[in-house]
PDB file of all heavy atoms in Angstrom:
ATOM      1  N   LEU K   1      92.468 120.810 202.718  1.00 98.00           N
ATOM      2  CA  LEU K   1      93.223 120.808 201.465  1.00 98.00           C
ATOM      3  C   LEU K   1      92.872 121.977 200.548  1.00 98.00           C
ATOM      4  O   LEU K   1      93.605 122.267 199.602  1.00 98.00           O
ATOM      5  CB  LEU K   1      92.968 119.499 200.710  1.00 98.00           C
ATOM      6  CG  LEU K   1      93.363 118.208 201.433  1.00 98.00           C
ATOM      7  CD1 LEU K   1      92.832 116.996 200.683  1.00 98.00           C
ATOM      8  CD2 LEU K   1      94.885 118.125 201.571  1.00 98.00           C
ATOM      9  N   THR K   2      91.745 122.632 200.801  1.00 97.00           N
ATOM     10  CA  THR K   2      91.304 123.721 199.929  1.00 97.00           C
ATOM     11  C   THR K   2      90.423 124.674 200.716  1.00 97.00           C
ATOM     12  O   THR K   2      89.800 124.281 201.706  1.00 97.00           O
ATOM     13  CB  THR K   2      90.511 123.171 198.721  1.00 97.00           C
ATOM     14  OG1 THR K   2      90.185 124.229 197.839  1.00 97.00           O
ATOM     15  CG2 THR K   2      89.242 122.468 199.159  1.00 97.00           C
ATOM     16  N   ASP K   3      90.378 125.914 200.251  1.00 95.00           N
ATOM     17  CA  ASP K   3      89.483 126.889 200.881  1.00 95.00           C
ATOM     18  C   ASP K   3      88.290 127.214 199.982  1.00 95.00           C
ATOM     19  O   ASP K   3      87.551 128.162 200.230  1.00 95.00           O
ATOM     20  CB  ASP K   3      90.241 128.175 201.232  1.00 95.00           C
ATOM     21  CG  ASP K   3      90.838 128.858 199.999  1.00 95.00           C
ATOM     22  OD1 ASP K   3      90.713 128.311 198.886  1.00 95.00           O
ATOM     23  OD2 ASP K   3      91.440 129.933 200.164  1.00 95.00           O
ATOM     24  N   ARG K   4      88.093 126.399 198.933  1.00 96.00           N
ATOM     25  CA  ARG K   4      86.990 126.654 198.007  1.00 96.00           C
ATOM     26  C   ARG K   4      85.661 126.164 198.589  1.00 96.00           C
ATOM     27  O   ARG K   4      85.635 125.262 199.424  1.00 96.00           O
ATOM     28  CB  ARG K   4      87.252 125.962 196.671  1.00 96.00           C
ATOM     29  CG  ARG K   4      88.521 126.444 195.956  1.00 96.00           C
ATOM     30  CD  ARG K   4      88.449 127.919 195.613  1.00 96.00           C
ATOM     31  NE  ARG K   4      89.622 128.365 194.897  1.00 96.00           N
ATOM     32  CZ  ARG K   4      89.732 128.372 193.575  1.00 96.00           C
ATOM     33  NH1 ARG K   4      88.741 127.935 192.829  1.00 96.00           N
ATOM     34  NH2 ARG K   4      90.843 128.802 193.000  1.00 96.00           N
ATOM     35  N   PRO K   5      84.537 126.719 198.139  1.00 95.00           N
ATOM     36  CA  PRO K   5      83.233 126.349 198.703  1.00 95.00           C
ATOM     37  C   PRO K   5      82.844 124.901 198.382  1.00 95.00           C
ATOM     38  O   PRO K   5      83.155 124.370 197.313  1.00 95.00           O
ATOM     39  CB  PRO K   5      82.262 127.335 198.046  1.00 95.00           C
ATOM     40  CG  PRO K   5      83.118 128.440 197.527  1.00 95.00           C
ATOM     41  CD  PRO K   5      84.432 127.831 197.177  1.00 95.00           C
ATOM     42  N   LEU K   6      82.118 124.302 199.320  1.00 96.00           N
ATOM     43  CA  LEU K   6      81.631 122.941 199.166  1.00 96.00           C
ATOM     44  C   LEU K   6      80.109 122.935 199.219  1.00 96.00           C
ATOM     45  O   LEU K   6      79.489 123.604 200.046  1.00 96.00           O
ATOM     46  CB  LEU K   6      82.174 122.039 200.281  1.00 96.00           C
ATOM     47  CG  LEU K   6      83.698 121.981 200.427  1.00 96.00           C
ATOM     48  CD1 LEU K   6      84.074 121.017 201.537  1.00 96.00           C
ATOM     49  CD2 LEU K   6      84.365 121.589 199.114  1.00 96.00           C
ATOM     50  N   LEU K   7      79.528 122.174 198.307  1.00 97.00           N
ATOM     51  CA  LEU K   7      78.079 122.032 198.196  1.00 97.00           C
ATOM     52  C   LEU K   7      77.759 120.569 198.458  1.00 97.00           C
ATOM     53  O   LEU K   7      78.293 119.692 197.770  1.00 97.00           O
ATOM     54  CB  LEU K   7      77.649 122.456 196.792  1.00 97.00           C
ATOM     55  CG  LEU K   7      76.197 122.728 196.456  1.00 97.00           C
ATOM     56  CD1 LEU K   7      76.113 123.368 195.068  1.00 97.00           C
ATOM     57  CD2 LEU K   7      75.341 121.481 196.495  1.00 97.00           C
ATOM     58  N   GLN K   8      76.927 120.290 199.441  1.00 96.00           N
ATOM     59  CA  GLN K   8      76.592 118.905 199.762  1.00 96.00           C
ATOM     60  C   GLN K   8      75.167 118.606 199.343  1.00 96.00           C
ATOM     61  O   GLN K   8      74.242 119.359 199.652  1.00 96.00           O
ATOM     62  CB  GLN K   8      76.769 118.625 201.252  1.00 96.00           C
ATOM     63  CG  GLN K   8      76.647 117.139 201.593  1.00 96.00           C
ATOM     64  CD  GLN K   8      77.115 116.809 202.994  1.00 96.00           C
ATOM     65  OE1 GLN K   8      77.199 117.681 203.848  1.00 96.00           O
ATOM     66  NE2 GLN K   8      77.422 115.549 203.235  1.00 96.00           N
ATOM     67  N   ALA K   9      74.997 117.506 198.613  1.00 94.00           N
ATOM     68  CA  ALA K   9      73.684 117.116 198.110  1.00 94.00           C
ATOM     69  C   ALA K   9      73.066 116.055 199.013  1.00 94.00           C
ATOM     70  O   ALA K   9      73.764 115.177 199.540  1.00 94.00           O
ATOM     71  CB  ALA K   9      73.810 116.569 196.689  1.00 94.00           C
ATOM     72  N   PHE K  10      71.759 116.136 199.176  1.00 93.00           N
ATOM     73  CA  PHE K  10      71.015 115.179 199.984  1.00 93.00           C
ATOM     74  C   PHE K  10      69.807 114.689 199.206  1.00 93.00           C
ATOM     75  O   PHE K  10      69.081 115.486 198.613  1.00 93.00           O
ATOM     76  CB  PHE K  10      70.536 115.823 201.292  1.00 93.00           C
ATOM     77  CG  PHE K  10      71.642 116.173 202.234  1.00 93.00           C
ATOM     78  CD1 PHE K  10      72.280 117.408 202.134  1.00 93.00           C
ATOM     79  CD2 PHE K  10      72.068 115.272 203.198  1.00 93.00           C
ATOM     80  CE1 PHE K  10      73.320 117.743 202.991  1.00 93.00           C
ATOM     81  CE2 PHE K  10      73.104 115.597 204.060  1.00 93.00           C
ATOM     82  CZ  PHE K  10      73.730 116.826 203.958  1.00 93.00           C
ATOM     83  N   ARG K  11      69.602 113.382 199.231  1.00 91.00           N
ATOM     84  CA  ARG K  11      68.401 112.801 198.627  1.00 91.00           C
ATOM     85  C   ARG K  11      67.281 112.894 199.658  1.00 91.00           C
ATOM     86  O   ARG K  11      67.404 112.401 200.778  1.00 91.00           O
ATOM     87  CB  ARG K  11      68.652 111.355 198.235  1.00 91.00           C
ATOM     88  CG  ARG K  11      69.723 111.221 197.170  1.00 91.00           C
ATOM     89  CD  ARG K  11      70.009 109.778 196.826  1.00 91.00           C
ATOM     90  NE  ARG K  11      71.045 109.676 195.814  1.00 91.00           N
ATOM     91  CZ  ARG K  11      71.522 108.526 195.336  1.00 91.00           C
ATOM     92  NH1 ARG K  11      71.032 107.377 195.796  1.00 91.00           N
ATOM     93  NH2 ARG K  11      72.450 108.517 194.419  1.00 91.00           N
ATOM     94  N   ILE K  12      66.180 113.498 199.276  1.00 89.00           N
ATOM     95  CA  ILE K  12      65.117 113.786 200.217  1.00 89.00           C
ATOM     96  C   ILE K  12      63.926 112.856 199.969  1.00 89.00           C
ATOM     97  O   ILE K  12      63.307 112.876 198.903  1.00 89.00           O
ATOM     98  CB  ILE K  12      64.657 115.253 200.102  1.00 89.00           C
ATOM     99  CG1 ILE K  12      65.850 116.192 200.303  1.00 89.00           C
ATOM    100  CG2 ILE K  12      63.551 115.538 201.104  1.00 89.00           C
ATOM    101  CD1 ILE K  12      66.569 116.057 201.620  1.00 89.00           C
ATOM    102  N   ALA K  13      63.628 112.034 200.985  1.00 86.00           N
ATOM    103  CA  ALA K  13      62.442 111.182 200.940  1.00 86.00           C
ATOM    104  C   ALA K  13      61.506 111.457 202.109  1.00 86.00           C
ATOM    105  O   ALA K  13      60.307 111.215 202.016  1.00 86.00           O
ATOM    106  CB  ALA K  13      62.835 109.709 200.938  1.00 86.00           C
ATOM    107  N   ASP K  14      62.082 111.973 203.209  1.00 85.00           N
ATOM    108  CA  ASP K  14      61.252 112.220 204.392  1.00 85.00           C
ATOM    109  C   ASP K  14      61.921 113.274 205.265  1.00 85.00           C
ATOM    110  O   ASP K  14      62.978 113.819 204.939  1.00 85.00           O
ATOM    111  CB  ASP K  14      61.033 110.923 205.176  1.00 85.00           C
ATOM    112  CG  ASP K  14      62.340 110.215 205.516  1.00 85.00           C
ATOM    113  OD1 ASP K  14      63.372 110.909 205.747  1.00 85.00           O
ATOM    114  OD2 ASP K  14      62.346 108.978 205.554  1.00 85.00           O
ATOM    115  N   GLY K  15      61.292 113.555 206.398  1.00 84.00           N
ATOM    116  CA  GLY K  15      61.798 114.576 207.292  1.00 84.00           C
ATOM    117  C   GLY K  15      63.160 114.264 207.870  1.00 84.00           C
ATOM    118  O   GLY K  15      63.942 115.185 208.152  1.00 84.00           O
ATOM    119  N   GLU K  16      63.473 112.996 208.039  1.00 88.00           N
ATOM    120  CA  GLU K  16      64.791 112.634 208.572  1.00 88.00           C
ATOM    121  C   GLU K  16      65.895 113.061 207.611  1.00 88.00           C
ATOM    122  O   GLU K  16      66.960 113.512 208.041  1.00 88.00           O
ATOM    123  CB  GLU K  16      64.855 111.127 208.818  1.00 88.00           C
ATOM    124  CG  GLU K  16      66.179 110.639 209.382  1.00 88.00           C
ATOM    125  CD  GLU K  16      66.553 111.306 210.694  1.00 88.00           C
ATOM    126  OE1 GLU K  16      65.654 111.610 211.496  1.00 88.00           O
ATOM    127  OE2 GLU K  16      67.763 111.529 210.910  1.00 88.00           O
ATOM    128  N   ASP K  17      65.658 112.925 206.325  1.00 88.00           N
ATOM    129  CA  ASP K  17      66.640 113.380 205.338  1.00 88.00           C
ATOM    130  C   ASP K  17      66.862 114.886 205.456  1.00 88.00           C
ATOM    131  O   ASP K  17      67.987 115.368 205.342  1.00 88.00           O
ATOM    132  CB  ASP K  17      66.171 113.032 203.922  1.00 88.00           C
ATOM    133  CG  ASP K  17      66.105 111.536 203.681  1.00 88.00           C
ATOM    134  OD1 ASP K  17      66.924 110.801 204.269  1.00 88.00           O
ATOM    135  OD2 ASP K  17      65.220 111.112 202.917  1.00 88.00           O
ATOM    136  N   LEU K  18      65.787 115.630 205.689  1.00 90.00           N
ATOM    137  CA  LEU K  18      65.917 117.074 205.849  1.00 90.00           C
ATOM    138  C   LEU K  18      66.694 117.432 207.109  1.00 90.00           C
ATOM    139  O   LEU K  18      67.474 118.387 207.120  1.00 90.00           O
ATOM    140  CB  LEU K  18      64.538 117.726 205.887  1.00 90.00           C
ATOM    141  CG  LEU K  18      63.828 117.883 204.544  1.00 90.00           C
ATOM    142  CD1 LEU K  18      62.434 118.451 204.758  1.00 90.00           C
ATOM    143  CD2 LEU K  18      64.617 118.758 203.590  1.00 90.00           C
ATOM    144  N   ARG K  19      66.497 116.654 208.170  1.00 90.00           N
ATOM    145  CA  ARG K  19      67.259 116.924 209.402  1.00 90.00           C
ATOM    146  C   ARG K  19      68.746 116.703 209.182  1.00 90.00           C
ATOM    147  O   ARG K  19      69.584 117.449 209.710  1.00 90.00           O
ATOM    148  CB  ARG K  19      66.726 116.048 210.543  1.00 90.00           C
ATOM    149  CG  ARG K  19      65.408 116.562 211.116  1.00 90.00           C
ATOM    150  CD  ARG K  19      64.990 115.794 212.351  1.00 90.00           C
ATOM    151  NE  ARG K  19      64.450 114.487 212.014  1.00 90.00           N
ATOM    152  CZ  ARG K  19      63.188 114.266 211.664  1.00 90.00           C
ATOM    153  NH1 ARG K  19      62.338 115.279 211.595  1.00 90.00           N
ATOM    154  NH2 ARG K  19      62.758 113.057 211.382  1.00 90.00           N
ATOM    155  N   ARG K  20      69.087 115.695 208.410  1.00 91.00           N
ATOM    156  CA  ARG K  20      70.503 115.478 208.094  1.00 91.00           C
ATOM    157  C   ARG K  20      71.050 116.645 207.285  1.00 91.00           C
ATOM    158  O   ARG K  20      72.167 117.116 207.528  1.00 91.00           O
ATOM    159  CB  ARG K  20      70.691 114.170 207.304  1.00 91.00           C
ATOM    160  CG  ARG K  20      70.488 112.920 208.123  1.00 91.00           C
ATOM    161  CD  ARG K  20      70.953 111.672 207.380  1.00 91.00           C
ATOM    162  NE  ARG K  20      70.350 111.526 206.084  1.00 91.00           N
ATOM    163  CZ  ARG K  20      70.968 111.721 204.919  1.00 91.00           C
ATOM    164  NH1 ARG K  20      72.240 112.089 204.892  1.00 91.00           N
ATOM    165  NH2 ARG K  20      70.320 111.551 203.773  1.00 91.00           N
ATOM    166  N   ALA K  21      70.278 117.117 206.326  1.00 92.00           N
ATOM    167  CA  ALA K  21      70.721 118.243 205.509  1.00 92.00           C
ATOM    168  C   ALA K  21      70.894 119.495 206.358  1.00 92.00           C
ATOM    169  O   ALA K  21      71.853 120.264 206.174  1.00 92.00           O
ATOM    170  CB  ALA K  21      69.715 118.492 204.383  1.00 92.00           C
ATOM    171  N   GLU K  22      69.991 119.704 207.285  1.00 91.00           N
ATOM    172  CA  GLU K  22      70.056 120.880 208.154  1.00 91.00           C
ATOM    173  C   GLU K  22      71.359 120.902 208.951  1.00 91.00           C
ATOM    174  O   GLU K  22      71.924 121.957 209.226  1.00 91.00           O
ATOM    175  CB  GLU K  22      68.860 120.887 209.111  1.00 91.00           C
ATOM    176  CG  GLU K  22      68.830 122.041 210.077  1.00 91.00           C
ATOM    177  CD  GLU K  22      68.572 123.378 209.401  1.00 91.00           C
ATOM    178  OE1 GLU K  22      67.824 123.398 208.411  1.00 91.00           O
ATOM    179  OE2 GLU K  22      69.125 124.392 209.861  1.00 91.00           O
ATOM    180  N   GLY K  23      71.858 119.726 209.311  1.00 92.00           N
ATOM    181  CA  GLY K  23      73.054 119.647 210.138  1.00 92.00           C
ATOM    182  C   GLY K  23      74.357 119.723 209.375  1.00 92.00           C
ATOM    183  O   GLY K  23      75.436 119.730 209.992  1.00 92.00           O
ATOM    184  N   SER K  24      74.314 119.793 208.054  1.00 95.00           N
ATOM    185  CA  SER K  24      75.544 119.825 207.262  1.00 95.00           C
ATOM    186  C   SER K  24      76.297 121.138 207.465  1.00 95.00           C
ATOM    187  O   SER K  24      75.697 122.213 207.495  1.00 95.00           O
ATOM    188  CB  SER K  24      75.223 119.660 205.775  1.00 95.00           C
ATOM    189  OG  SER K  24      76.372 119.879 204.978  1.00 95.00           O
ATOM    190  N   SER K  25      77.613 121.044 207.564  1.00 95.00           N
ATOM    191  CA  SER K  25      78.448 122.243 207.690  1.00 95.00           C
ATOM    192  C   SER K  25      78.902 122.772 206.336  1.00 95.00           C
ATOM    193  O   SER K  25      79.670 123.736 206.267  1.00 95.00           O
ATOM    194  CB  SER K  25      79.679 121.942 208.552  1.00 95.00           C
ATOM    195  OG  SER K  25      80.492 120.956 207.927  1.00 95.00           O
ATOM    196  N   ALA K  26      78.431 122.170 205.240  1.00 97.00           N
ATOM    197  CA  ALA K  26      78.804 122.625 203.903  1.00 97.00           C
ATOM    198  C   ALA K  26      78.339 124.057 203.667  1.00 97.00           C
ATOM    199  O   ALA K  26      77.383 124.527 204.279  1.00 97.00           O
ATOM    200  CB  ALA K  26      78.208 121.708 202.838  1.00 97.00           C
ATOM    201  N   ASP K  27      79.020 124.756 202.779  1.00 96.00           N
ATOM    202  CA  ASP K  27      78.661 126.133 202.462  1.00 96.00           C
ATOM    203  C   ASP K  27      77.264 126.235 201.869  1.00 96.00           C
ATOM    204  O   ASP K  27      76.523 127.188 202.134  1.00 96.00           O
ATOM    205  CB  ASP K  27      79.672 126.722 201.471  1.00 96.00           C
ATOM    206  CG  ASP K  27      81.077 126.743 202.042  1.00 96.00           C
ATOM    207  OD1 ASP K  27      81.371 127.607 202.873  1.00 96.00           O
ATOM    208  OD2 ASP K  27      81.870 125.856 201.663  1.00 96.00           O
ATOM    209  N   LEU K  28      76.923 125.265 201.033  1.00 95.00           N
ATOM    210  CA  LEU K  28      75.599 125.212 200.403  1.00 95.00           C
ATOM    211  C   LEU K  28      75.083 123.787 200.485  1.00 95.00           C
ATOM    212  O   LEU K  28      75.878 122.837 200.545  1.00 95.00           O
ATOM    213  CB  LEU K  28      75.681 125.626 198.931  1.00 95.00           C
ATOM    214  CG  LEU K  28      75.929 127.093 198.601  1.00 95.00           C
ATOM    215  CD1 LEU K  28      76.258 127.233 197.115  1.00 95.00           C
ATOM    216  CD2 LEU K  28      74.698 127.928 198.943  1.00 95.00           C
ATOM    217  N   ILE K  29      73.770 123.639 200.453  1.00 96.00           N
ATOM    218  CA  ILE K  29      73.194 122.301 200.366  1.00 96.00           C
ATOM    219  C   ILE K  29      72.264 122.244 199.164  1.00 96.00           C
ATOM    220  O   ILE K  29      71.689 123.252 198.747  1.00 96.00           O
ATOM    221  CB  ILE K  29      72.445 121.889 201.643  1.00 96.00           C
ATOM    222  CG1 ILE K  29      71.335 122.876 201.980  1.00 96.00           C
ATOM    223  CG2 ILE K  29      73.406 121.720 202.810  1.00 96.00           C
ATOM    224  CD1 ILE K  29      70.429 122.394 203.089  1.00 96.00           C
ATOM    225  N   LEU K  30      72.152 121.035 198.616  1.00 96.00           N
ATOM    226  CA  LEU K  30      71.284 120.784 197.471  1.00 96.00           C
ATOM    227  C   LEU K  30      70.331 119.669 197.869  1.00 96.00           C
ATOM    228  O   LEU K  30      70.750 118.639 198.400  1.00 96.00           O
ATOM    229  CB  LEU K  30      72.114 120.402 196.252  1.00 96.00           C
ATOM    230  CG  LEU K  30      71.365 120.107 194.953  1.00 96.00           C
ATOM    231  CD1 LEU K  30      72.168 120.607 193.742  1.00 96.00           C
ATOM    232  CD2 LEU K  30      71.104 118.599 194.799  1.00 96.00           C
ATOM    233  N   LEU K  31      69.049 119.882 197.639  1.00 94.00           N
ATOM    234  CA  LEU K  31      68.026 118.900 197.984  1.00 94.00           C
ATOM    235  C   LEU K  31      67.503 118.278 196.702  1.00 94.00           C
ATOM    236  O   LEU K  31      67.014 118.974 195.818  1.00 94.00           O
ATOM    237  CB  LEU K  31      66.887 119.576 198.760  1.00 94.00           C
ATOM    238  CG  LEU K  31      67.318 120.382 199.998  1.00 94.00           C
ATOM    239  CD1 LEU K  31      66.105 121.000 200.681  1.00 94.00           C
ATOM    240  CD2 LEU K  31      68.128 119.536 200.965  1.00 94.00           C
ATOM    241  N   ASP K  32      67.597 116.947 196.610  1.00 91.00           N
ATOM    242  CA  ASP K  32      67.391 116.255 195.344  1.00 91.00           C
ATOM    243  C   ASP K  32      66.485 115.053 195.549  1.00 91.00           C
ATOM    244  O   ASP K  32      66.436 114.463 196.634  1.00 91.00           O
ATOM    245  CB  ASP K  32      68.756 115.790 194.814  1.00 91.00           C
ATOM    246  CG  ASP K  32      68.725 115.367 193.361  1.00 91.00           C
ATOM    247  OD1 ASP K  32      67.666 115.438 192.723  1.00 91.00           O
ATOM    248  OD2 ASP K  32      69.791 114.966 192.859  1.00 91.00           O
ATOM    249  N   ALA K  33      65.778 114.677 194.470  1.00 83.00           N
ATOM    250  CA  ALA K  33      65.027 113.426 194.494  1.00 83.00           C
ATOM    251  C   ALA K  33      65.980 112.242 194.485  1.00 83.00           C
ATOM    252  O   ALA K  33      65.675 111.179 195.021  1.00 83.00           O
ATOM    253  CB  ALA K  33      64.080 113.357 193.303  1.00 83.00           C
ATOM    254  N   GLY K  34      67.119 112.408 193.845  1.00 68.00           N
ATOM    255  CA  GLY K  34      68.203 111.443 193.980  1.00 68.00           C
ATOM    256  C   GLY K  34      68.268 110.332 192.972  1.00 68.00           C
ATOM    257  O   GLY K  34      69.299 109.708 192.816  1.00 68.00           O
ATOM    258  N   ALA K  35      67.189 110.052 192.265  1.00 54.00           N
ATOM    259  CA  ALA K  35      67.209 108.894 191.379  1.00 54.00           C
ATOM    260  C   ALA K  35      67.756 109.208 189.997  1.00 54.00           C
ATOM    261  O   ALA K  35      68.104 108.312 189.245  1.00 54.00           O
ATOM    262  CB  ALA K  35      65.799 108.324 191.244  1.00 54.00           C
ATOM    263  N   GLY K  36      67.819 110.486 189.637  1.00 56.00           N
ATOM    264  CA  GLY K  36      68.315 110.842 188.317  1.00 56.00           C
ATOM    265  C   GLY K  36      67.381 110.476 187.189  1.00 56.00           C
ATOM    266  O   GLY K  36      67.785 110.384 186.032  1.00 56.00           O
ATOM    267  N   ASP K  37      66.105 110.268 187.523  1.00 54.00           N
ATOM    268  CA  ASP K  37      65.149 109.829 186.508  1.00 54.00           C
ATOM    269  C   ASP K  37      64.129 110.901 186.147  1.00 54.00           C
ATOM    270  O   ASP K  37      63.103 110.619 185.519  1.00 54.00           O
ATOM    271  CB  ASP K  37      64.411 108.576 186.991  1.00 54.00           C
ATOM    272  CG  ASP K  37      63.678 108.793 188.307  1.00 54.00           C
ATOM    273  OD1 ASP K  37      63.709 109.929 188.817  1.00 54.00           O
ATOM    274  OD2 ASP K  37      63.090 107.826 188.816  1.00 54.00           O
ATOM    275  N   GLY K  38      64.398 112.133 186.555  1.00 62.00           N
ATOM    276  CA  GLY K  38      63.495 113.214 186.220  1.00 62.00           C
ATOM    277  C   GLY K  38      62.301 113.338 187.138  1.00 62.00           C
ATOM    278  O   GLY K  38      61.388 114.119 186.853  1.00 62.00           O
ATOM    279  N   ALA K  39      62.287 112.590 188.253  1.00 68.00           N
ATOM    280  CA  ALA K  39      61.169 112.664 189.183  1.00 68.00           C
ATOM    281  C   ALA K  39      61.422 113.719 190.250  1.00 68.00           C
ATOM    282  O   ALA K  39      62.574 113.994 190.597  1.00 68.00           O
ATOM    283  CB  ALA K  39      60.949 111.305 189.843  1.00 68.00           C
ATOM    284  N   VAL K  40      60.357 114.298 190.767  1.00 79.00           N
ATOM    285  CA  VAL K  40      60.468 115.261 191.862  1.00 79.00           C
ATOM    286  C   VAL K  40      60.178 114.551 193.174  1.00 79.00           C
ATOM    287  O   VAL K  40      59.512 113.517 193.200  1.00 79.00           O
ATOM    288  CB  VAL K  40      59.503 116.455 191.683  1.00 79.00           C
ATOM    289  CG1 VAL K  40      59.779 117.189 190.387  1.00 79.00           C
ATOM    290  CG2 VAL K  40      58.053 115.985 191.728  1.00 79.00           C
TER     291      VAL K  40
END
């Protein structure tokens, strides 16, 4: 539907989360704590 860039965010708790992020076909990836509470 669009040719604009896509950024996919992943909540990172362990290595499995990183493996999922590695496999994303998105133009960019964002690695996040995910809770929105200011924690790293």
Side-chain angles (χ1 to χ4, degrees):
L1 300 170
T2 185
D3 61 357
R4 299 298 182 91
L6 304 182
L7 194 170
Q8 189 167 20
F10 292 87
R11 297 178 180 179
I12 304 301
D14 53 33
E16 180 58 35
D17 295 328
L18 283 176
R19 283 187 284 276
R20 288 191 306 107
E22 179 69 34
S24 172
S25 63
D27 299 283
L28 288 168
I29 57 170
L30 180 144
L31 307 180
D32 194 1
D37 58 2
V40 301

